[in-house]
Amino acid sequence: MVVELGTPAIPLSPGALRLQYFATATHPPVAATSEVDNNEVENGGVENSGVENSEVDNNEVENSEIEKKAQPAPTKQLSEQAPEERPAEQAPEGPPGEQAPEERPAEQAAQQRAAQQQAVEQSNRQAAHPQPPPPTPLKNAFSQPHNQKLLLEAWCQDSFLSRQILGIKASSSHRLELWVQRFPRGRGVLTLFDAEHPSSLGLQQKATRQVFGTQFRCMLRRTFPTFHITLFSTEAFLQDSLSPIYPRALLQRGHQGFAAIAAPPNSNPSDVLSFGLIWLDSLRQKRWRKPTNPPSRIQGLAIFLPSGRSSNTALRMRWLNPHAAQWMLFEYDDHGRAWEIDIHDCGNLDTRLLPPAQKPARSLLTPEALLETRLQSHIRILNPRFHPSPVYGQVLALAGQDRGILDLLAIDLDGRLSVIELKASESIHLPLQALDYWMRVCWHLEQGDFTRCGYFPGLALSPFSILPPKLLFVAPALRFHSTHERILRYLHPRVPTETIGIALDSTGPLRLLFRQVHRPS
């Protein structure tokens, strides 16, 4: 496997590593020891990169002159034959436009045969004494010193890579990092590694992220042609809990800035909005490293999702504050073409209201289930204006146990519903997962489904237009994620939210520790 920053990882098909020398009349090439020591090539130095030693067949060496005459574009196997040791009857290969050297005398031909015999004996010694375990071969690749420069080329069915090797950065039994020259961008690092080795899994994932990051850059340039990319990252930023899975960027045009983030095809697109809001807030709070001329205002957030997977994100974005930022949603295809999605024309909610007597089966041993059981009988701890009963748990046909969140639905003396989200551990996605449940409760309230299905008998429900349902987040006081409030400030003003911290003691009563009412930004 060949990996380089910003280029596709190349899984190579069967083949072997070969060295081919090019000689010129006026500039004789230097030996391979200028970049890689001969002893390393002979005794397994190339094996350290996960590349098998080249095999030199006796017949190939002895009949090399016949093969050279028969093949219009000859390619030699790896050997220690110097360029000066070519047969006199064959014109040496070299850059176009250079003259071939004169024919060599008989004594040089004798030296050439002796060097060939030495190469055969060395190959036989290597075949007789292999080094266990056998390394994974580098496939469809060859390295050649060209004009006194060592060149590595690798290819697969849909990718090709050619780099000048400058030196070795690091090496191990399954990995080799090389300093390479990348025209016209200067120096870079190219990595050869054994794809079957357990430690290579993270490297393959990183390479996949970098490849998608390159595609995302192209999408941004086409979608925002008047902006330039000031910041771009595919790495984790632990200070703000930003995941390396989702590449992110800052676009700038003069004093205007725009945040952008994308979900790769193999990721969960429902999680990208949480990280996008954190990225937007991080840029506005200048928590990220500052560019040379930072924009004075971050105007909005653009989110890029795989084609056909934006429905849930579009529904969430409808309940973001339109005055806090400009929200844009895009889909992209396999060819990197992106187009904008209208978040107000994304279809209906996929929801179903369960009958009051029907409750989905779930484990009673989870911390959330234990918290739900205790709160249902002591609901007025959260709000003294709540009706003590009925209090319904999980009224919608959603997989609450899959989300790791349990929900309660209560009503106060004014007929106002309250959606209570229970979580016993930190979760960066809690605000938007709760928003999914809240928006469906609001939809059923507007349709009159709660009264029609027999919920809250004898109680009048306040319509959404007068008193929209509240959204309460309830968890142990120290179990809210550090980004919780930063995400909530971007919700729509019509989504009233409160964060309630409780003291959860398995033996004592529940106690309310703090309550925070959130205001839109």
Side-chain angles (χ1 to χ4, degrees):
M1 187 76 71
V2 178
V3 174
E4 186 182 21
L5 177 63
T7 60
I10 299 181
L12 303 164
S13 56
L17 181 67
R18 297 171 293 177
L19 286 174
Q20 184 174 357
Y21 296 105
F22 286 83
T24 62
T26 58
H27 298 86
V30 297
T33 52
S34 61
E35 301 296 341
V36 181
D37 186 74
N38 284 341
N39 293 329
E40 291 181 353
V41 177
E42 294 177 2
N43 300 324
V46 180
E47 288 184 8
N48 287 341
S49 64
V51 181
E52 192 177 65
N53 282 344
S54 63
E55 301 176 358
V56 184
D57 188 84
N58 294 342
N59 295 329
E60 287 185 13
V61 178
E62 295 174 357
N63 301 323
S64 59
E65 296 182 5
I66 299 177
E67 292 179 358
K68 293 168 189 172
K69 294 179 181 179
Q71 298 180 4
T75 302
K76 290 186 178 180
Q77 294 292 340
L78 175 63
S79 69
E80 295 304 315
Q81 178 182 353
E84 293 80 357
E85 299 168 349
R86 292 181 179 272
E89 60 271 21
Q90 179 189 3
E93 301 179 11
E98 296 190 357
Q99 299 296 329
E102 298 180 357
E103 295 184 357
R104 296 164 182 168
E107 51 270 15
Q108 292 184 355
Q111 294 177 1
Q112 175 192 6
R113 287 192 295 272
Q116 290 178 346
Q117 183 64 27
Q118 183 181 2
V120 171
E121 293 175 357
Q122 176 66 24
S123 176
N124 292 337
R125 287 195 300 269
Q126 293 177 354
H129 303 284
Q131 296 184 3
T136 302
L138 180 67
K139 308 156 187 176
N140 276 2
F142 68 88
S143 177
Q144 59 190 26
H146 181 61
N147 289 342
Q148 303 183 6
K149 299 175 182 178
L150 190 62
L151 190 67
L152 177 81
E153 295 181 351
W155 62 92
C156 63
Q157 187 174 7
D158 55 359
S159 300
F160 178 81
L161 181 143
S162 178
R163 294 289 183 266
Q164 176 190 345
I165 299 177
L166 303 178
I168 297 178
K169 180 182 178 183
S171 64
S172 66
S173 60
H174 59 275
R175 179 171 173 175
L176 177 65
E177 296 183 10
L178 302 173
W179 290 110
V180 296
Q181 182 75 23
R182 302 184 299 170
F183 180 82
R185 294 175 291 174
R187 293 180 57 176
V189 177
L190 184 140
T191 304
L192 310 177
F193 67 93
D194 180 5
E196 301 297 330
H197 198 276
S199 65
S200 300
L201 178 60
L203 189 61
Q204 295 186 62
Q205 294 174 347
K206 182 177 181 179
T208 302
R209 294 197 300 266
Q210 292 173 350
V211 171
F212 179 73
T214 302
Q215 299 173 353
F216 183 38
R217 281 179 179 268
C218 297
M219 285 190 282
L220 291 176
R221 293 190 180 103
R222 289 192 294 264
T223 308
F224 298 91
T226 60
F227 287 78
H228 67 274
I229 302 175
T230 303
L231 292 177
F232 190 89
S233 178
T234 57
E235 302 297 330
F237 187 50
L238 301 181
Q239 180 180 352
D240 283 345
S241 303
L242 290 172
S243 171
I245 299 176
Y246 306 100
R248 51 200 181 273
L250 170 61
L251 307 174
Q252 186 172 350
R253 182 180 59 190
H255 295 289
Q256 295 181 348
F258 219 92
I261 194 170
N266 57 349
S267 65
N268 185 359
S270 298
D271 294 343
V272 70
L273 183 56
S274 297
F275 293 110
L277 294 175
I278 298 171
W279 174 235
L280 172 64
D281 190 69
S282 176
L283 292 173
R284 288 184 169 181
Q285 302 297 328
K286 297 181 173 54
R287 298 165 64 95
W288 194 255
R289 62 181 184 273
K290 295 183 180 179
T292 306
N293 297 309
S296 57
R297 181 175 181 271
I298 308 299
Q299 186 175 352
L301 173 66
I303 295 179
F304 290 76
L305 299 177
S307 177
R309 303 175 65 184
S310 64
S311 177
N312 189 45
T313 302
L315 292 170
R316 291 176 172 182
M317 294 178 71
R318 290 169 58 179
W319 291 101
L320 297 180
N321 190 350
H323 303 291
Q326 179 182 351
W327 312 108
M328 302 182 70
L329 180 62
F330 297 87
E331 287 188 353
Y332 65 86
D333 58 15
D334 296 336
H335 303 286
R337 294 186 294 261
W339 57 93
E340 188 173 1
I341 301 297
D342 185 3
I343 62 176
H344 298 287
D345 186 20
C346 53
N348 297 326
L349 285 171
D350 182 14
T351 179
R352 181 169 61 90
L353 190 65
L354 296 173
Q358 179 181 351
K359 295 184 64 176
R362 56 175 176 266
S363 174
L364 297 178
L365 300 179
T366 64
E368 287 80 11
L370 296 175
L371 181 59
E372 177 194 33
T373 302
R374 299 185 66 182
L375 277 177
Q376 275 188 306
S377 57
H378 301 86
I379 195 64
R380 286 193 168 182
I381 294 177
L382 304 180
N383 187 349
R385 291 183 57 83
F386 278 155
H387 280 282
S389 64
V391 178
Y392 300 100
Q394 205 68 28
V395 300
L396 301 181
L398 297 177
Q401 56 269 38
D402 294 340
R403 299 187 303 147
I405 304 172
L406 294 184
D407 312 273
L408 295 176
L409 186 63
I411 188 173
D412 62 16
L413 299 178
D414 298 324
R416 186 177 194 174
L417 295 180
S418 290
V419 176
I420 305 170
E421 297 288 324
L422 307 177
K423 184 67 175 175
S425 59
E426 295 182 10
S427 174
I428 196 173
H429 304 294
L430 174 62
L432 296 184
Q433 289 178 343
L435 182 65
D436 292 338
Y437 200 93
W438 178 89
M439 69 175 70
R440 285 163 171 80
V441 168
C442 293
W443 188 86
H444 287 292
L445 177 62
E446 289 185 304
Q447 303 300 315
D449 293 338
F450 288 109
T451 302
R452 184 167 48 253
C453 292
Y455 282 88
F456 303 106
L459 299 176
L461 304 184
S462 176
F464 177 85
S465 57
I466 299 177
L467 289 174
K470 285 184 177 182
L471 180 56
L472 275 60
F473 301 93
V474 180
L478 300 179
R479 295 299 183 182
F480 290 100
H481 198 273
S482 60
T483 61
H484 180 77
E485 297 181 19
R486 298 171 62 185
I487 295 177
L488 290 181
R489 68 166 61 114
Y490 290 102
L491 295 185
H492 199 283
R494 301 199 71 183
V495 186
T497 59
E498 295 182 12
T499 298
I500 301 176
I502 61 174
L504 185 58
D505 189 354
S506 58
T507 58
L510 292 175
R511 292 182 294 115
L512 179 66
L513 297 183
F514 71 85
R515 178 193 305 272
Q516 183 177 5
V517 179
H518 301 279
R519 306 295 180 186
S521 59

